[in-house]
Amino acid sequence: MSNQIYIRPQEYMPSNATFDLNALVRDNVRRMKPYSSARDEFSGEAEVFLDANENPYPSPFNRYPDPLQSEVKRLLSPLKGVTPEQTFLGNGSDEAIDLLIRAFCEPNRDSIIITEPTYGMYSVCANVNAVRTISLTLDQNFDLDLSLFPALNDPSLKLIFLCSPNNPSANLLNRERIIQLLEQFQGLVVVDEAYIDFTTAPSFTTELSKYPNLVILQTFSKAWGLAGLRLGMCFASKEIIAVLNKIKYPYNVNIKTQELAVEALSNKDQKDRWVKEILQERTRLIEALQGLTITQKVYPSDANFVLVKVTDAPGIYKRLMNIGIIVRDRSNVRLCDNCLRITVGTQRENDKLIDALKQIVS
Ligand SMILES: *Cc1c(COP(=O)(O)O)cnc(C)c1O
């Protein structure tokens, strides 16, 4: 050992010095004893397993899955620059969203902030749990307007959900403004990065050691091509992750999902090739859309979809639907008057869409 003085992460004094996770967790969650499964009590190698009342006869699924998905997390660690202890895996990001609300928000008392237009699950999960949603509106560029935020020291305000790149507007939120919220808010700032693979901007995982109140959501549903598996990632301090693990279903991610995720992570090149093609197609789609007379505005995209303002979104949506092309009509969503949200497809699919849109004009 040299005489060099190491500053351990715990000793680093973040600007958010008064952050107190224990005070933030609901009383019942802090006090409860978690369910302890057979696989929690013994998880090593053995010859004979008679501890979980499983069927002993061979079938691919006669055994319960690893409750903490250690193999998946081991492969994720170097890719994401986080430790397995800073990683929660769930049945889609949706499970993490639900657990965050259930762990930190007292029903009929606490509230969350969302910035609309945004992903619908934050307020749905809040509603299910009788948690109030304070809905702010993004500015005309779909970016954060910090002047709209209420007093951040309100003790009943527990979570701020930010989506960056945002769904349905496809843009990144301003990084400095997110940092400002992280520094000023004593609750958790959740940054949903479902579309992070489609932007060159760095993930907020790079900020985890600085901000004890930062939570990041990512997913296998978009770039990884595994929406049908249902596997979501949540990255945060090991203390926050421990809270989520305490209240999750013991075996929340099944064996097949864990195996297929390991396979996907071992073949990361496939994901990278898909992303590269999607980005090329995104550029081509945006250019084609810009050339149409029905197009009023194509919003910039850091995601695998494009938001486009057209002359008559419901009408164009119906005409596309009638010929078997389904896009998302977002015209009833705040700030999205006459907007369609179009996922970037394969080259052939995008060609079909573009051809169809040209026909609609003529
Ligand atoms: C698609 C999407 C997700 C993914 O949710 P899963 O439950 O992981 O499939 C999460 N957040 C946003 C904003 C999304 O658009």
Side-chain angles (χ1 to χ4, degrees), residues 91-95 97 118-119 122 163 165-167 192-195 217-222 227 230-233 305 341:
N91 185 344
S93 319
D94 295 343
E95 181 180 359
I97 294 167
T118 194
Y119 188 49
Y122 317 133
C163 186
N166 186 44
N167 179 2
D192 186 341
E193 296 185 335
Y195 300 98
L217 302 177
Q218 293 186 9
T219 180
F220 282 87
S221 295
K222 308 286 154 66
R230 312 305 303 128
L231 188 59
M233 302 165 252
F305 59 88
R341 193 194 71 189

Side-chain angles (χ1 to χ4, degrees), residues 47-325:
E47 195 184 337
V48 181
F49 278 102
L50 301 176
D51 60 345
N53 298 346
E54 296 151 333
N55 183 322
Y57 297 103
S59 111
F61 305 113
N62 65 325
R63 298 298 176 183
Y64 279 106
D66 174 357
L68 291 175
Q69 311 95 22
S70 48
E71 185 63 6
V72 184
K73 289 177 186 171
R74 194 179 63 77
L75 293 172
L76 266 177
S77 267
L79 222 64
K80 301 292 182 186
V82 297
T83 66
E85 294 73 32
Q86 292 173 311
T87 308
F88 168 86
L89 295 174
N91 185 344
S93 319
D94 295 343
E95 181 180 359
I97 294 167
D98 186 54
L99 290 183
L100 284 164
I101 290 173
R102 285 201 279 147
F104 295 102
C105 301
E106 196 62 36
N108 300 309
R109 189 194 73 189
D110 289 339
S111 53
I112 65 164
I113 285 181
I114 64 169
T115 57
E116 295 203 86
T118 194
Y119 188 49
M121 278 306 285
Y122 317 133
S123 61
V124 168
C125 288
N127 282 336
V128 168
N129 291 293
V131 168
R132 191 162 72 97
T133 300
I134 299 171
S135 164
L136 308 180
T137 306
L138 291 169
D139 68 18
Q140 288 302 313
N141 298 318
F142 294 112
D143 211 336
L144 292 171
D145 181 349
L146 294 185
S147 73
L148 297 179
F149 278 69
L152 292 177
N153 59 2
D154 174 349
S156 69
L157 179 56
K158 295 297 168 65
L159 304 171
I160 298 176
F161 281 94
L162 305 175
C163 186
S164 180
N166 186 44
N167 179 2
S169 55
N171 61 300
L172 287 160
L173 300 181
N174 181 288
R175 197 173 185 89
E176 285 68 43
R177 290 176 212 166
I178 296 178
I179 299 277
Q180 241 176 293
L181 289 172
L182 280 164
E183 290 185 342
Q184 289 169 16
F185 184 43
Q186 306 304 307
L188 302 185
V189 176
V190 183
V191 183
D192 186 341
E193 296 185 335
Y195 300 98
I196 193 69
D197 299 86
F198 304 104
T199 172
T200 51
S203 165
F204 265 83
T205 49
T206 55
E207 308 285 346
L208 266 183
S209 58
K210 254 195 223 157
Y211 300 105
N213 58 340
L214 171 60
V215 178
I216 296 138
L217 302 177
Q218 293 186 9
T219 180
F220 282 87
S221 295
K222 308 286 154 66
W224 290 94
L226 297 173
L229 279 192
R230 312 305 303 128
L231 188 59
M233 302 165 252
C234 176
F235 307 112
S237 71
K238 63 182 196 314
E239 290 80 11
I240 293 174
I241 295 302
V243 172
L244 300 184
N245 283 334
K246 186 178 181 184
I247 64 171
K248 77 182 183 73
Y249 286 164
Y251 302 112
N252 60 328
V253 178
N254 68 65
I255 286 187
K256 199 73 208 168
T257 297
Q258 294 190 41
E259 284 176 1
L260 291 172
V262 165
E263 200 178 306
L265 288 166
S266 313
N267 187 15
K268 178 178 166 292
D269 288 355
Q270 172 66 261
K271 189 256 311 177
D272 292 338
R273 281 193 299 274
W274 281 331
V275 167
K276 195 166 163 238
E277 277 191 43
I278 289 168
L279 294 185
Q280 281 167 4
E281 280 300 299
R282 181 177 77 192
T283 304
R284 199 172 68 86
L285 179 62
I286 287 173
E287 281 167 7
L289 289 170
Q290 278 164 342
L292 300 172
T293 47
I294 51 159
T295 298
Q296 303 209 312
K297 177 165 186 168
V298 184
Y299 291 91
S301 174
D302 273 290
N304 66 337
F305 59 88
V306 178
L307 188 74
V308 53
K309 192 186 277 297
V310 292
T311 45
D312 171 23
I316 293 168
Y317 170 82
K318 275 196 210 92
R319 289 188 62 173
L320 288 174
M321 184 182 67
N322 287 338
I323 56 167
I325 299 174

